[in-house]
Amino acid sequence: MYAILDAAAQASQRYLASLSTRPVCPDAEAVKALSELDEPLPDASSDPAQTFRLLDRAVSPATMAMAGPRFFGFVIGGALPVALGASWLASAWDQNAGLYESTPGVAHLEEVATGWLKELLDLPAASAAGFVTGATMANFTALAAARHTVLARAGWNVEADGLFGAPAITVIIGDEAHPTLLKSLGMLGLGRNRVVRVPVDGQGRMRADALPAIAGPAILCLQAGNVNTGAFDPFGPLIEAAHRAGAWVHVDGAFGLWAKAAPSLSYLAQGLEGADSWATDAHKWLNVPYDSGLAFSRDADALRSAMAITAEYLPSESAHRNPSDFVPELSRRARGVEVWAAIRSLGRAGLAELFERNCRQARQFARGLQASGYAVLNDVVLNQVLICFGDAQRTRRVIAAVQKEGTCWCGPTVWQGKTAMRISVSSWATTDEDVDQSLDAIRHAARGS
Ligand SMILES: Cc1ncc(COP(=O)(O)O)c(C=O)c1O
């Protein structure tokens, strides 16, 4: 056993050390060589060390260097060394983190981390948190609490009786809501298309003046951090109007919620603390390993009512918080461990420095490319930058050339009708020199395309 674990530690370190010099995108040969894995189901057992060597040999070169300093696609944080180390130890513990009585250590860590998160993100002290796989599930989980509450107020028990015959719920979203929010609504039986869409401005912010009149059971979904522009909805007036009408307000803050934890950015998220529930990712900007997301509900009982179960064989009676009372899963890994380790080690100041540095680096990208004559399509208020290199074909050619060259990786998007390259700066590992090196590579690709 120890030989395998030593080999795993060494291979991981070799891999991480290679990330700043290897091409970010795996080369075609490495992807082709994955065919080595296409073997018949083995009949007999074999040496575990040999399986491990195959894994490292075939798959490590075919990975995208998302853990490295120059991956700017999607919204991808790396893994802080302390969070990765905590993850290794937590994997060795192999705790089923569902119930306090059976796994007190990791359940306790989640409680500590929850308290810290509420302080950092300026959320109400009585809120409950659930540790889930990512923002999609965090939205799902928090919106289940919302669905519970708005229907309970109308005299309907949705957990017991489902949605057949239930009073209708009006769900209101911004026109630039993330598509996974719609997926979460669909999974809750609220429908991907059965929503009222509110027009947005040129940055993707919901227009407060366009909010429709709200009546009856209703959920308003707001956004902290648009995936393309990084923009925030105007929370104050929207939340006030929704609450006046008795609606539940949910905020999807997959990465933007962390603005609350940085003094120079918190103005962007001002007012969102007045909502009823929030979703964010830890695997994005908190830089913990996949997968890790967080759902918060101001009303702890609403979340517990939506998620908790009891059974004779489960030791769910506890004076403490049972992690599974707040999430869809009963059995799951102890993902609170990495969240705790990241916050414990960086502290308030280290976290603020990480978020503010990434935003400064986003502005460094925007300034550098604007100075070279390329258009920046968004107000760079957070860590997202949209660059247009001319028409759609040319922009796509530049993006393909950047990806092929390998110094950095950026992906495409279409922002309000314009094709653009997205640059998302979300990693603890990115230095200002990485940004300069990437700027050179992008300019070179643009000149040649
Ligand atoms: C605003 C927003 N919501 C939700 C998500 C989905 O997050 P995840 O992929 O962690 O489920 C994203 C992903 O980028 C996002 O930007």
Side-chain angles (χ1 to χ4, degrees):
M1 174 165 76
Y2 299 121
I4 281 280
L5 297 183
D6 280 344
Q10 278 169 32
S12 304
Q13 287 173 38
R14 251 196 329 272
Y15 175 77
L16 292 172
S18 75
L19 290 181
S20 55
T21 50
R22 61 159 269 197
V24 174
C25 192
D27 62 34
E29 245 168 64
V31 176
K32 200 158 162 240
L34 286 171
S35 59
E36 190 183 355
L37 300 170
D38 301 335
E39 48 187 5
L41 170 68
D43 281 328
S45 305
S46 59
D47 178 4
Q50 191 251 336
T51 293
F52 185 81
R53 282 196 297 274
L54 170 63
L55 179 69
D56 187 31
R57 184 177 68 244
V59 183
S60 291
T63 56
M64 182 71 85
M66 290 180 170
R70 293 187 301 280
F71 185 85
F72 304 115
F74 316 107
V75 184
I76 303 279
L80 288 159
V82 71
L84 180 57
S87 177
W88 287 350
L89 186 56
S91 290
W93 293 338
D94 196 21
Q95 300 289 282
N96 180 339
L99 300 171
Y100 189 98
E101 295 304 321
S102 46
T103 53
V106 295
H108 191 91
L109 275 185
E110 276 196 10
E111 279 185 54
V112 175
T114 298
W116 290 348
L117 284 161
K118 287 188 285 188
E119 267 191 65
L120 273 171
L121 301 173
D122 186 26
L123 301 181
S127 308
F131 290 69
V132 293
T133 50
T136 305
M137 284 310 292
N139 282 323
F140 172 86
T141 304
L143 287 166
R147 184 183 66 166
H148 167 86
T149 301
V150 298
L151 286 180
R153 285 181 194 146
W156 189 266
N157 181 340
V158 68
E159 285 75 32
D161 300 323
L163 284 173
F164 303 103
I169 301 176
T170 305
V171 179
I172 304 164
I173 67 167
D175 227 358
E176 288 287 354
H178 196 272
T180 59
L181 183 89
L182 294 164
K183 177 174 173 177
S184 302
L185 290 168
M187 290 193 293
L188 286 162
L190 300 175
R192 294 190 187 196
N193 296 340
R194 210 193 130 286
V195 289
V196 177
R197 286 177 169 274
V198 181
V200 295
D201 66 13
Q203 298 298 314
R205 293 176 290 231
M206 187 185 281
R207 276 180 37 210
D209 64 334
L211 186 71
I214 302 171
I219 302 171
L220 171 65
C221 300
L222 302 179
Q223 185 167 249
N226 176 279
V227 74
N228 283 307
T229 64
F232 292 67
D233 286 340
F235 299 109
L238 288 165
I239 292 175
E240 205 190 311
H243 278 169
R244 257 201 317 273
W248 177 288
V249 182
H250 171 71
V251 178
D252 175 5
F255 55 98
L257 208 61
W258 297 100
K260 276 277 190 197
S264 71
L265 304 171
S266 60
Y267 77 95
L268 292 164
Q270 201 183 346
L272 68 70
E273 66 282 357
D276 300 289
S277 59
W278 304 265
T280 193
D281 265 315
H283 59 218
K284 289 188 169 69
W285 227 354
L286 188 60
N287 276 258
V288 303
Y290 286 92
D291 44 29
S292 191
L294 298 154
F296 299 92
S297 171
R298 173 188 292 275
D299 178 352
D301 284 340
L303 189 53
R304 197 184 290 106
S305 301
M307 293 292 151
I309 52 154
T310 54
E312 288 306 325
Y313 82 100
L314 292 172
S316 54
E317 276 298 313
S318 169
H320 298 277
R321 168 187 177 277
N322 274 322
S324 60
D325 285 352
F326 301 95
V327 294
E329 301 89 355
L330 174 60
S331 300
R332 64 171 178 84
R333 74 181 194 91
R335 58 176 65 86
V337 174
E338 300 117 10
V339 172
W340 171 86
I343 299 175
R344 169 80 175 62
S345 116
L346 288 183
R348 273 186 198 278
L351 287 166
E353 190 279 329
L354 166 62
F355 306 138
E356 288 174 349
R357 168 163 45 102
N358 284 165
C359 293
R360 182 171 48 69
Q361 290 167 334
R363 294 194 296 275
Q364 192 182 339
F365 268 117
R367 267 196 317 275
L369 291 168
Q370 205 158 33
S372 301
Y374 307 117
V376 179
L377 297 188
N378 63 317
D379 296 341
V380 183
V381 292
L382 202 67
N383 59 341
Q384 310 292 311
V385 189
L386 297 176
I387 305 289
C388 185
F389 295 92
D391 63 19
Q393 281 91 341
R394 173 149 195 251
T395 297
R396 287 195 182 276
R397 277 202 306 276
V398 176
I399 296 167
V402 167
Q403 293 179 358
K404 185 154 181 261
E405 190 272 338
T407 298
C408 65
W409 199 97
C410 304
T413 191
V414 177
W415 175 245
Q416 298 189 342
K418 274 202 171 144
T419 299
M421 184 174 85
R422 287 185 65 248
I423 304 175
S424 175
V425 193
S426 314
S427 175
W428 71 278
T430 303
T431 64
D432 293 356
E433 292 68 45
D434 287 311
V435 176
D436 282 336
Q437 201 182 331
S438 304
L439 273 169
D440 285 345
I442 295 168
R443 286 189 195 108
H444 188 259
R447 279 195 298 271
S449 302

